[in-house]
Amino acid sequence: MHNFSMETAPSQKGKIAIVTGANSGLGYETALGLVKKGATVILASRDQKKAQEAMNKILKQVPNANLEIILIDLNSLQSVEEFAVEFSKKYDRLDLLIENAGIMMPPLSITKDGFESQFGVNYLAHFHLTNLLFPLIKNTPNARVVTLSSLAHKSGKIAFDNLNAEKGYDKWPVYVQSKLACMMFAYELQRRLDSSRIYAKALSAHPGFSATNLGAFLPSIGSILFSPLASLIGQDSKHGALPTLRAALDPEAKGGEYYGPSGFGEVKGSPAKVKSSSKSHDLLVATKLWSASEEMTGKKFVV
């Protein structure tokens, strides 16, 4: 596969992109990369003040950037629905949906709809968002949906009997489950796009070991170690965002592909096509997860 660089990536002028969690870390760097290529970027963020600060920071670097803030709280399906309504009123196309926002290992908390928060925020809210915006995605030539997974998905499994931590909550297995779900969603969406002959692409990406604020909920000793370790063996947010940007922008990228850093252990390096776990390709689990997600969000997702 050819080498990818942001310098040679095609112009995105006239294209509309949504980036969830765009006010910091990987989401911020992804939004910045897209506006540098000429895309109109919607900063989908929970916090108006932080989103405004991010917008100002981007405008300092790219004064003619086309940016808009539309608030979304992934803890609430109603907020996701309000976001989709507002976006659909203003735009008649959606070229890039970058599902970046996520939380990692918080103490047990429940979303407004009663879901365990890591599964609810990282995966379910994004499933629902894609479903609500799907009419626009379907009608936009060459649209792409890029779902953020994690290296950690490799130790994940979908516990259908414990999706809402009904049988107990263990932060790490629940986190990796949510990231495996994100990846399986991308693969299953691509299979459904193919069988319906819809010319859109679903891809996934992971940032390697990236020093972002995701480590906020680690125990204090963990966070003391996490930042220096991440900067020592991992990469910063700017480089961590490159696999996502490659999945979004590389003209040669195909639906169903997965991108991550190319270095040893995929912890850092230039963005390349990488392999996911065998579990992520389990068709029966993927179909069951899709049905469970429809049930939990209360809306059929017909591709």
Side-chain angles (χ1 to χ4, degrees):
M1 207 169 194
H2 71 111
N3 284 332
F4 169 83
S5 79
M6 286 301 289
E7 287 69 36
T8 58
S11 164
Q12 299 298 299
K13 211 164 176 49
K15 294 196 174 179
I16 311 293
I18 292 171
V19 181
T20 65
N23 52 276
S24 66
L26 298 168
Y28 170 82
E29 293 295 346
T30 303
L32 177 61
L34 292 173
V35 295
K36 282 182 174 174
K37 288 278 131 184
T40 295
V41 177
I42 285 74
L43 308 175
S45 177
R46 192 179 57 182
D47 185 311
Q48 177 73 39
K49 183 168 172 284
K50 286 180 180 168
Q52 192 60 56
E53 284 165 4
M55 190 189 222
N56 296 343
K57 215 163 118 189
I58 291 173
L59 286 167
K60 272 192 181 143
Q61 297 178 70
V62 191
N64 59 347
N66 289 315
L67 290 162
E68 184 181 354
I69 295 163
I70 303 181
L71 293 180
I72 189 169
D73 180 359
L74 296 169
N75 264 296
S76 157
L77 293 183
Q78 188 186 331
S79 174
V80 174
E81 286 153 16
E82 287 164 2
F83 173 93
V85 167
E86 189 174 342
F87 178 83
S88 304
K89 271 185 197 158
K90 293 181 175 177
Y91 300 96
D92 59 1
R93 63 183 293 136
L94 176 53
D95 299 88
L96 296 169
L97 175 55
I98 313 288
E99 303 187 320
N100 161 82
I103 53 174
M104 181 179 177
M105 295 169 62
L108 175 62
S109 59
I110 303 299
T111 70
K112 288 181 179 152
D113 304 282
F115 309 129
E116 181 282 317
S117 65
Q118 295 193 83
F119 189 76
V121 168
N122 297 355
Y123 166 67
L124 260 190
H126 284 123
F127 176 91
H128 196 46
L129 182 63
T130 313
N131 190 1
L132 296 167
L133 295 173
F134 192 70
L136 290 175
I137 293 166
K138 188 166 77 170
N139 292 323
T140 305
N142 305 312
R144 295 188 190 191
V145 178
V146 181
T147 309
L148 263 282
S149 186
S150 161
L151 252 181
H153 86 274
K154 292 182 179 184
S155 62
K157 73 177 187 41
I158 309 295
F160 287 104
D161 61 346
N162 196 34
L163 290 180
N164 283 324
E166 305 94 329
K167 295 189 172 176
Y169 177 70
D170 193 341
K171 295 175 189 177
W172 178 251
V174 169
Y175 173 69
V176 295
Q177 168 181 259
S178 75
K179 287 297 166 181
L180 175 60
C182 289
M183 171 167 283
M184 294 188 85
F185 170 50
Y187 289 157
E188 182 62 18
L189 178 57
Q190 186 59 48
R191 285 190 286 269
R192 292 178 187 226
L193 289 167
D194 288 344
S195 63
S196 299
R197 294 202 170 93
I198 294 168
Y199 202 59
K201 292 174 183 162
L203 306 98
S204 53
H206 82 84
F209 192 33
S210 184
T212 70
N213 59 3
L214 260 190
F217 292 110
L218 295 174
S220 52
I221 183 69
S223 56
I224 288 163
L225 295 170
F226 182 79
S227 292
L229 194 61
S231 45
L232 189 66
I233 67 164
Q235 54 189 4
D236 58 20
S237 300
K238 185 179 178 183
H239 290 92
L242 287 174
T244 304
L245 286 163
R246 180 164 190 173
L249 302 177
D250 188 341
E252 293 184 25
K254 293 179 177 66
E257 289 183 341
Y258 172 46
Y259 288 88
S262 57
F264 178 73
E266 293 172 33
V267 293
K268 63 178 175 182
S270 54
K273 200 164 82 158
V274 291
K275 285 194 166 84
S276 61
S277 69
S278 58
K279 277 189 192 133
S280 69
H281 296 285
D282 188 318
L283 301 183
L284 285 174
V285 172
T287 310
K288 191 175 173 185
L289 178 64
W290 190 284
S291 300
S293 307
E294 289 178 323
E295 203 171 304
M296 292 168 91
T297 56
K299 183 174 164 58
K300 291 289 280 181
F301 189 162
V302 181
V303 175

Coordinates of all heavy atoms in Angstrom, one line a residue, residues 65-139:
A65 N -10.9 28.7 8.0 CA -11.5 27.4 8.2 C -13.0 27.6 8.3 O -13.5 28.5 8.9 CB -11.0 26.8 9.5
N66 N -13.7 26.6 7.7 CA -15.2 26.5 7.9 C -15.5 25.6 9.0 O -15.4 24.4 8.9 CB -15.8 26.0 6.6 CG -15.7 27.0 5.4 OD1 -16.0 28.2 5.6 ND2 -15.3 26.5 4.3
L67 N -16.0 26.2 10.1 CA -16.3 25.4 11.3 C -17.6 25.8 11.9 O -18.0 26.9 11.8 CB -15.2 25.8 12.4 CG -13.8 25.3 12.1 CD1 -12.8 26.0 13.0 CD2 -13.7 23.8 12.4
E68 N -18.2 24.8 12.5 CA -19.5 25.1 13.2 C -19.5 24.2 14.4 O -19.0 23.0 14.4 CB -20.7 24.8 12.3 CG -22.0 25.2 13.1 CD -23.3 25.0 12.3 OE1 -23.2 24.6 11.1 OE2 -24.3 25.1 12.9
I69 N -20.1 24.7 15.5 CA -20.3 23.9 16.7 C -21.7 23.5 16.8 O -22.6 24.3 16.7 CB -19.9 24.7 18.0 CG1 -18.4 25.0 18.0 CG2 -20.3 23.9 19.3 CD1 -18.1 26.1 19.0
I70 N -22.0 22.2 16.9 CA -23.3 21.7 17.3 C -23.2 20.8 18.5 O -22.4 19.8 18.5 CB -24.0 20.9 16.1 CG1 -24.1 21.8 14.8 CG2 -25.4 20.5 16.5 CD1 -24.8 21.1 13.6
L71 N -23.9 21.1 19.5 CA -23.7 20.4 20.8 C -24.3 19.0 20.7 O -25.4 18.8 20.1 CB -24.3 21.2 22.0 CG -23.6 22.5 22.3 CD1 -24.2 23.2 23.5 CD2 -22.1 22.3 22.6
I72 N -23.6 18.1 21.3 CA -24.1 16.7 21.5 C -23.6 16.1 22.8 O -22.4 16.3 23.1 CB -23.7 15.8 20.3 CG1 -24.4 14.5 20.3 CG2 -22.1 15.6 20.2 CD1 -24.1 13.7 19.0
D73 N -24.5 15.4 23.5 CA -24.1 14.7 24.7 C -24.3 13.3 24.5 O -25.5 12.8 24.4 CB -24.9 15.2 25.9 CG -24.5 14.5 27.2 OD1 -23.6 13.7 27.2 OD2 -25.1 14.9 28.2
L74 N -23.3 12.5 24.3 CA -23.4 11.1 24.0 C -23.9 10.3 25.1 O -24.2 9.1 25.0 CB -22.0 10.6 23.5 CG -21.6 11.2 22.2 CD1 -20.1 10.8 21.9 CD2 -22.4 10.9 21.0
N75 N -24.1 10.9 26.3 CA -24.7 10.2 27.4 C -26.2 10.2 27.3 O -26.9 9.6 28.2 CB -24.4 11.0 28.7 CG -23.2 10.4 29.4 OD1 -23.2 9.3 29.9 ND2 -22.1 11.2 29.5
S76 N -26.8 10.8 26.2 CA -28.2 11.0 26.1 C -28.6 10.7 24.7 O -28.2 11.4 23.8 CB -28.6 12.4 26.6 OG -29.8 12.7 26.0
L77 N -29.5 9.7 24.5 CA -30.0 9.5 23.1 C -30.8 10.6 22.6 O -30.8 10.9 21.4 CB -30.8 8.2 23.1 CG -30.0 6.8 23.3 CD1 -31.0 5.7 23.2 CD2 -28.8 6.7 22.4
Q78 N -31.5 11.3 23.5 CA -32.3 12.5 23.1 C -31.4 13.6 22.5 O -31.7 14.2 21.5 CB -33.1 13.0 24.3 CG -34.1 14.1 23.8 CD -34.8 14.8 25.0 OE1 -35.0 14.1 26.0 NE2 -35.2 16.0 24.8
S79 N -30.2 13.8 23.2 CA -29.3 14.8 22.7 C -28.7 14.4 21.3 O -28.6 15.2 20.4 CB -28.1 14.9 23.7 OG -27.1 15.8 23.2
V80 N -28.5 13.1 21.1 CA -28.0 12.6 19.8 C -29.1 12.9 18.8 O -28.8 13.3 17.7 CB -27.7 11.1 19.9 CG1 -27.4 10.5 18.5 CG2 -26.5 10.8 20.9
E81 N -30.3 12.6 19.1 CA -31.4 12.9 18.2 C -31.6 14.4 17.9 O -31.8 14.8 16.7 CB -32.7 12.3 18.8 CG -32.8 10.8 18.7 CD -33.7 10.2 19.8 OE1 -34.5 10.9 20.4 OE2 -33.6 9.0 20.0
E82 N -31.4 15.2 18.9 CA -31.5 16.7 18.6 C -30.3 17.2 17.7 O -30.5 18.0 16.9 CB -31.4 17.4 20.0 CG -32.8 17.3 20.8 CD -32.7 17.7 22.2 OE1 -31.6 18.1 22.7 OE2 -33.7 17.6 22.9
F83 N -29.2 16.6 18.0 CA -28.0 16.9 17.1 C -28.3 16.5 15.6 O -28.1 17.3 14.7 CB -26.8 16.1 17.6 CG -25.6 16.3 16.6 CD1 -24.6 17.3 16.8 CD2 -25.4 15.5 15.5 CE1 -23.6 17.4 16.0 CE2 -24.4 15.6 14.6 CZ -23.4 16.6 14.9
A84 N -28.9 15.3 15.4 CA -29.1 14.9 14.1 C -30.2 15.7 13.4 O -30.1 16.1 12.2 CB -29.6 13.4 14.1
V85 N -31.2 16.2 14.2 CA -32.2 17.1 13.6 C -31.6 18.4 13.2 O -31.8 18.9 12.1 CB -33.4 17.3 14.6 CG1 -34.3 18.4 14.2 CG2 -34.2 16.0 14.8
E86 N -30.8 19.0 14.1 CA -30.2 20.3 13.8 C -29.3 20.2 12.6 O -29.3 21.0 11.7 CB -29.4 20.8 15.0 CG -29.0 22.2 14.8 CD -28.4 22.9 16.0 OE1 -28.5 22.4 17.2 OE2 -27.7 23.9 15.8
F87 N -28.4 19.1 12.6 CA -27.5 19.0 11.4 C -28.3 18.8 10.1 O -28.0 19.4 9.1 CB -26.6 17.7 11.6 CG -25.7 17.5 10.5 CD1 -24.5 18.2 10.4 CD2 -26.0 16.6 9.5 CE1 -23.6 18.0 9.3 CE2 -25.2 16.4 8.4 CZ -24.0 17.1 8.3
S88 N -29.3 18.0 10.1 CA -30.1 17.7 8.9 C -30.9 18.9 8.4 O -31.2 19.0 7.2 CB -31.0 16.5 9.1 OG -30.3 15.4 9.6
K89 N -31.2 19.8 9.3 CA -31.9 21.1 8.9 C -30.9 21.9 8.1 O -31.3 22.6 7.2 CB -32.3 21.8 10.1 CG -33.7 21.5 10.6 CD -34.1 22.4 11.7 CE -35.3 21.9 12.5 NZ -35.3 22.5 13.9
K90 N -29.6 21.9 8.5 CA -28.6 22.8 7.9 C -27.9 22.2 6.7 O -27.4 23.0 5.8 CB -27.6 23.2 8.9 CG -28.2 24.0 10.1 CD -27.1 24.4 11.1 CE -27.7 25.3 12.1 NZ -26.7 25.6 13.2
Y91 N -27.8 20.9 6.6 CA -26.9 20.3 5.6 C -27.7 19.2 4.9 O -28.5 18.5 5.5 CB -25.6 19.7 6.2 CG -24.8 20.8 6.9 CD1 -24.9 21.0 8.3 CD2 -23.9 21.6 6.2 CE1 -24.2 21.9 8.9 CE2 -23.1 22.5 6.8 CZ -23.3 22.7 8.2 OH -22.5 23.7 8.8
D92 N -27.4 19.1 3.6 CA -28.1 18.1 2.8 C -27.2 17.0 2.4 O -27.5 16.2 1.5 CB -28.8 18.7 1.6 CG -27.8 19.4 0.6 OD1 -26.6 19.4 0.9 OD2 -28.2 20.0 -0.4
R93 N -26.0 17.0 3.0 CA -25.0 15.9 2.7 C -24.1 15.7 3.9 O -24.0 16.5 4.8 CB -24.1 16.3 1.5 CG -23.3 17.5 1.7 CD -22.5 17.9 0.4 NE -21.5 16.9 0.1 CZ -21.3 16.5 -1.2 NH1 -22.0 17.0 -2.2 NH2 -20.3 15.6 -1.4
L94 N -23.5 14.5 3.9 CA -22.5 14.2 5.0 C -21.5 13.3 4.4 O -21.7 12.1 4.1 CB -23.2 13.5 6.2 CG -22.3 13.1 7.3 CD1 -21.4 14.2 7.8 CD2 -23.1 12.5 8.5
D95 N -20.3 13.9 4.2 CA -19.2 13.1 3.5 C -18.4 12.3 4.5 O -18.0 11.2 4.2 CB -18.3 14.1 2.8 CG -19.0 14.9 1.7 OD1 -19.6 16.0 2.0 OD2 -19.0 14.4 0.6
L96 N -18.2 12.8 5.7 CA -17.4 12.2 6.7 C -18.0 12.2 8.0 O -18.2 13.3 8.6 CB -16.0 12.8 6.7 CG -15.1 12.8 5.5 CD1 -13.9 13.7 5.6 CD2 -14.6 11.3 5.2
L97 N -18.3 11.1 8.6 CA -18.7 11.0 10.0 C -17.6 10.3 10.8 O -17.4 9.1 10.6 CB -20.0 10.2 10.1 CG -20.6 9.9 11.5 CD1 -20.8 11.2 12.3 CD2 -21.9 9.2 11.4
I98 N -16.9 11.1 11.6 CA -15.8 10.6 12.4 C -16.3 10.4 13.8 O -16.5 11.3 14.6 CB -14.6 11.6 12.4 CG1 -14.3 12.0 10.9 CG2 -13.4 10.9 13.0 CD1 -13.7 11.1 10.0
E99 N -16.4 9.1 14.2 CA -16.9 8.8 15.5 C -15.8 8.6 16.5 O -15.3 7.5 16.7 CB -17.8 7.5 15.4 CG -18.9 7.9 14.4 CD -20.0 6.8 14.2 OE1 -19.7 5.6 14.2 OE2 -21.1 7.2 14.1
N100 N -15.3 9.7 17.0 CA -14.1 9.7 17.8 C -14.3 9.8 19.3 O -13.5 9.2 20.0 CB -13.3 11.0 17.3 CG -12.2 11.4 18.3 OD1 -11.1 10.8 18.4 ND2 -12.6 12.3 19.2
A101 N -15.3 10.4 19.8 CA -15.4 10.7 21.2 C -15.5 9.3 22.0 O -16.0 8.3 21.5 CB -16.7 11.4 21.5
G102 N -14.9 9.4 23.2 CA -14.9 8.2 24.0 C -14.5 8.5 25.4 O -13.9 9.5 25.7
I103 N -14.8 7.5 26.3 CA -14.4 7.6 27.7 C -13.7 6.3 28.0 O -14.0 5.3 27.4 CB -15.5 7.9 28.7 CG1 -16.7 6.9 28.5 CG2 -16.0 9.3 28.5 CD1 -17.8 7.0 29.5
M104 N -12.8 6.4 29.0 CA -12.0 5.2 29.3 C -11.9 4.9 30.8 O -11.4 5.8 31.5 CB -10.5 5.3 28.7 CG -9.6 4.2 29.0 SD -8.0 4.5 28.3 CE -7.1 3.1 28.8
M105 N -12.5 3.8 31.2 CA -12.4 3.3 32.6 C -12.8 4.3 33.7 O -12.1 4.4 34.7 CB -10.9 2.9 32.8 CG -10.5 1.7 32.0 SD -8.8 1.3 32.0 CE -8.6 0.9 33.8
P106 N -14.0 4.9 33.5 CA -14.5 5.7 34.6 C -15.1 4.8 35.7 O -15.3 3.6 35.4 CB -15.6 6.5 34.0 CG -16.1 5.6 32.9 CD -14.9 4.9 32.4
P107 N -15.3 5.3 36.9 CA -16.1 4.6 37.9 C -17.4 4.2 37.2 O -17.9 4.9 36.3 CB -16.2 5.5 39.0 CG -15.2 6.6 38.8 CD -15.0 6.7 37.4
L108 N -18.1 3.2 37.7 CA -19.4 2.8 37.1 C -20.3 4.0 37.1 O -20.6 4.7 38.1 CB -20.0 1.7 38.0 CG -21.5 1.3 37.5 CD1 -21.5 0.8 36.1 CD2 -22.1 0.3 38.5
S109 N -20.8 4.3 35.9 CA -21.8 5.4 35.8 C -22.8 5.0 34.7 O -22.5 4.2 33.8 CB -21.2 6.8 35.5 OG -20.5 6.7 34.3
I110 N -24.0 5.5 34.8 CA -25.1 5.1 33.9 C -25.5 6.3 33.1 O -25.6 7.4 33.6 CB -26.3 4.6 34.8 CG1 -25.8 3.4 35.7 CG2 -27.5 4.2 33.9 CD1 -25.3 2.2 35.0
T111 N -25.8 6.1 31.8 CA -26.2 7.2 30.9 C -27.7 7.6 31.3 O -28.3 6.9 32.0 CB -26.1 6.8 29.4 OG1 -27.2 5.9 29.2 CG2 -24.8 6.2 29.0
K112 N -28.1 8.7 30.6 CA -29.5 9.1 30.9 C -30.5 8.1 30.5 O -31.7 8.1 31.0 CB -29.8 10.4 30.2 CG -29.0 11.6 30.8 CD -29.2 12.9 30.2 CE -28.5 14.0 30.9 NZ -28.1 15.1 30.1
D113 N -30.1 7.2 29.6 CA -31.1 6.1 29.1 C -30.9 4.8 29.9 O -31.5 3.8 29.5 CB -30.9 5.9 27.6 CG -31.1 7.3 26.9 OD1 -32.2 7.7 26.7 OD2 -30.1 7.9 26.5
G114 N -30.0 4.8 30.9 CA -29.8 3.6 31.7 C -28.8 2.6 31.2 O -28.7 1.5 31.6
F115 N -27.9 3.1 30.3 CA -26.8 2.2 29.8 C -25.6 2.4 30.6 O -25.3 3.5 31.0 CB -26.5 2.5 28.3 CG -27.7 2.5 27.4 CD1 -28.0 3.5 26.6 CD2 -28.6 1.4 27.5 CE1 -29.1 3.5 25.8 CE2 -29.8 1.4 26.7 CZ -30.0 2.5 25.8
E116 N -24.8 1.4 30.7 CA -23.4 1.5 31.3 C -22.7 2.5 30.4 O -22.7 2.4 29.2 CB -22.8 0.1 31.4 CG -21.4 0.2 32.0 CD -20.3 0.7 31.0 OE1 -20.3 0.3 29.8 OE2 -19.5 1.5 31.4
S117 N -22.0 3.5 31.0 CA -21.5 4.6 30.3 C -20.5 4.3 29.2 O -20.5 5.0 28.1 CB -21.0 5.7 31.2 OG -19.8 5.3 31.9
Q118 N -19.6 3.4 29.4 CA -18.5 3.2 28.4 C -19.2 2.6 27.1 O -18.9 3.0 26.0 CB -17.4 2.3 28.9 CG -16.6 2.9 30.0 CD -15.3 2.1 30.3 OE1 -14.3 2.3 29.7 NE2 -15.4 1.2 31.3
F119 N -20.0 1.6 27.3 CA -20.7 1.0 26.2 C -21.7 2.0 25.6 O -21.8 2.1 24.3 CB -21.5 -0.3 26.7 CG -22.1 -1.1 25.6 CD1 -21.3 -1.9 24.8 CD2 -23.5 -1.0 25.3 CE1 -21.8 -2.7 23.7 CE2 -24.0 -1.8 24.2 CZ -23.2 -2.6 23.5
G120 N -22.4 2.8 26.4 CA -23.3 3.8 26.0 C -22.7 4.9 25.2 O -23.2 5.3 24.1
V121 N -21.6 5.5 25.7 CA -21.0 6.6 25.0 C -20.1 6.2 23.9 O -20.2 6.8 22.8 CB -20.2 7.4 26.1 CG1 -19.3 8.5 25.4 CG2 -21.1 8.1 27.1
N122 N -19.2 5.3 24.1 CA -18.2 4.9 23.1 C -18.9 4.2 21.9 O -18.5 4.5 20.7 CB -17.2 3.9 23.7 CG -16.4 4.6 24.8 OD1 -16.5 5.7 25.1 ND2 -15.5 3.8 25.4
Y123 N -19.9 3.4 22.1 CA -20.5 2.6 21.1 C -21.9 3.0 20.7 O -22.3 3.4 19.6 CB -20.3 1.1 21.4 CG -21.2 0.3 20.5 CD1 -20.9 0.2 19.1 CD2 -22.3 -0.4 20.9 CE1 -21.8 -0.5 18.2 CE2 -23.2 -1.1 20.1 CZ -22.9 -1.1 18.7 OH -23.7 -1.8 17.9
L124 N -22.8 2.8 21.7 CA -24.3 2.9 21.4 C -24.7 4.2 20.8 O -25.5 4.3 19.9 CB -25.1 2.6 22.7 CG -25.7 1.2 22.8 CD1 -26.7 1.3 24.0 CD2 -26.4 0.7 21.6
A125 N -24.2 5.3 21.4 CA -24.6 6.6 21.0 C -24.1 6.8 19.5 O -24.8 7.5 18.7 CB -24.0 7.7 21.9
H126 N -23.0 6.3 19.2 CA -22.5 6.4 17.8 C -23.2 5.6 16.8 O -23.5 6.0 15.7 CB -21.0 6.1 17.8 CG -20.1 7.2 18.3 ND1 -19.2 7.0 19.3 CD2 -20.0 8.5 18.0 CE1 -18.6 8.1 19.6 NE2 -19.0 9.1 18.8
F127 N -23.6 4.4 17.3 CA -24.5 3.5 16.5 C -25.8 4.3 16.1 O -26.2 4.3 15.0 CB -24.8 2.2 17.2 CG -25.8 1.3 16.6 CD1 -25.4 0.3 15.7 CD2 -27.2 1.4 16.8 CE1 -26.3 -0.6 15.1 CE2 -28.1 0.6 16.1 CZ -27.6 -0.4 15.3
H128 N -26.4 4.9 17.2 CA -27.6 5.7 17.0 C -27.4 6.9 16.1 O -28.3 7.1 15.2 CB -28.1 6.1 18.4 CG -29.6 6.5 18.4 ND1 -30.6 5.9 17.8 CD2 -30.1 7.6 19.0 CE1 -31.7 6.5 18.0 NE2 -31.5 7.6 18.8
L129 N -26.3 7.6 16.3 CA -26.0 8.7 15.5 C -25.9 8.4 14.0 O -26.4 9.0 13.1 CB -24.7 9.4 16.0 CG -24.3 10.7 15.2 CD1 -25.3 11.8 15.4 CD2 -22.9 11.1 15.7
T130 N -25.2 7.3 13.7 CA -25.0 6.8 12.3 C -26.4 6.5 11.7 O -26.7 6.8 10.6 CB -24.1 5.6 12.2 OG1 -23.0 5.8 13.0 CG2 -23.7 5.3 10.8
N131 N -27.2 5.8 12.5 CA -28.6 5.4 12.1 C -29.4 6.7 11.7 O -30.0 6.8 10.6 CB -29.2 4.6 13.2 CG -30.5 4.0 12.7 OD1 -31.0 4.1 11.6 ND2 -31.2 3.3 13.7
L132 N -29.4 7.7 12.6 CA -30.2 8.9 12.3 C -29.7 9.7 11.1 O -30.4 10.4 10.4 CB -30.1 9.8 13.6 CG -30.8 9.1 14.8 CD1 -30.4 9.9 16.1 CD2 -32.3 9.1 14.7
L133 N -28.3 9.7 10.9 CA -27.8 10.4 9.8 C -27.7 9.6 8.5 O -27.2 10.1 7.5 CB -26.4 11.0 10.2 CG -26.4 12.0 11.4 CD1 -24.9 12.3 11.8 CD2 -27.1 13.3 11.0
F134 N -28.1 8.4 8.6 CA -27.9 7.4 7.5 C -28.5 7.9 6.2 O -27.9 7.8 5.1 CB -28.3 6.0 7.8 CG -27.8 5.0 6.8 CD1 -26.4 4.8 6.7 CD2 -28.7 4.4 5.9 CE1 -26.0 3.9 5.7 CE2 -28.2 3.6 4.9 CZ -26.9 3.3 4.8
P135 N -29.7 8.5 6.2 CA -30.3 9.0 5.0 C -29.4 10.0 4.2 O -29.3 9.9 3.0 CB -31.6 9.7 5.4 CG -32.0 9.0 6.7 CD -30.7 8.7 7.4
L136 N -28.7 10.8 5.0 CA -27.7 11.8 4.3 C -26.5 11.0 3.8 O -26.0 11.3 2.7 CB -27.3 12.9 5.3 CG -28.4 13.9 5.7 CD1 -27.9 14.8 6.8 CD2 -28.8 14.7 4.5
I137 N -26.0 10.1 4.6 CA -24.8 9.3 4.3 C -25.0 8.6 3.0 O -24.2 8.6 2.0 CB -24.4 8.4 5.4 CG1 -23.9 9.1 6.7 CG2 -23.3 7.4 4.9 CD1 -23.8 8.3 7.9
K138 N -26.2 7.9 2.9 CA -26.6 7.1 1.8 C -26.6 7.9 0.5 O -26.3 7.5 -0.6 CB -27.9 6.5 2.0 CG -28.4 5.4 1.0 CD -29.6 4.6 1.6 CE -30.9 5.4 1.5 NZ -32.0 4.5 1.7
N139 N -27.1 9.2 0.6 CA -27.3 10.0 -0.6 C -26.0 10.9 -0.9 O -26.1 11.8 -1.8 CB -28.5 10.9 -0.4 CG -29.8 10.0 -0.4 OD1 -29.8 9.1 -1.2 ND2 -30.7 10.4 0.4

